[in-house]
Amino acid sequence: MTPAETLAKQKQRSRPKRNKAAASEVVLWDCRLCEHRERLNLSMRDVAHRAGLSTAAYFRIEKGYADVRLSHAVELAAFFGAKIEKLWT
């Protein structure tokens, strides 16, 4: 069981789906963090806290508005139990 799955099991809350944000022309990366996070029903704050990031920094990384440091990419991939190549294409 990955750390993300463990945290999701501890939280056990239902969150309503929100409308997707408008697409921006400034996106740097195609990132799949949102898919993994929503599948486990975790908030951005939960993931950011576990990865040692601020919520704002995690938001920018997830939406593709900011470059991600290799150390943060490794940390997030380990948290979700996925390879870096699967999270950023």
Side-chain angles (χ1 to χ4, degrees):
M1 184 175 284
T2 66
E5 292 169 338
T6 304
L7 180 63
K9 195 171 190 177
Q10 290 172 352
K11 291 287 181 173
Q12 292 185 358
R13 62 177 173 203
S14 62
R15 298 179 59 230
K17 291 274 183 184
R18 295 185 178 163
N19 296 335
K20 291 190 175 196
S24 172
E25 296 178 11
V26 191
V27 174
L28 300 173
W29 300 101
D30 182 22
C31 182
R32 303 210 185 279
L33 287 172
C34 184
E35 295 170 14
H36 289 277
R37 182 180 59 77
E38 287 181 349
R39 179 178 51 85
L40 295 169
N41 204 21
L42 295 173
S43 68
M44 284 187 174
R45 180 181 289 175
D46 293 333
V47 178
H49 177 70
R50 294 294 175 129
L53 296 166
S54 69
T55 306
Y58 178 77
F59 172 82
R60 288 190 306 273
I61 290 170
E62 183 178 291
K63 298 300 180 189
Y65 300 148
D67 285 330
V68 60
R69 290 183 182 174
L70 182 59
S71 60
H72 292 150
V74 169
E75 191 77 27
L76 289 166
F79 178 71
F80 285 114
K83 292 185 178 184
I84 295 174
E85 298 85 19
K86 297 280 185 188
L87 295 177
W88 286 275
T89 56

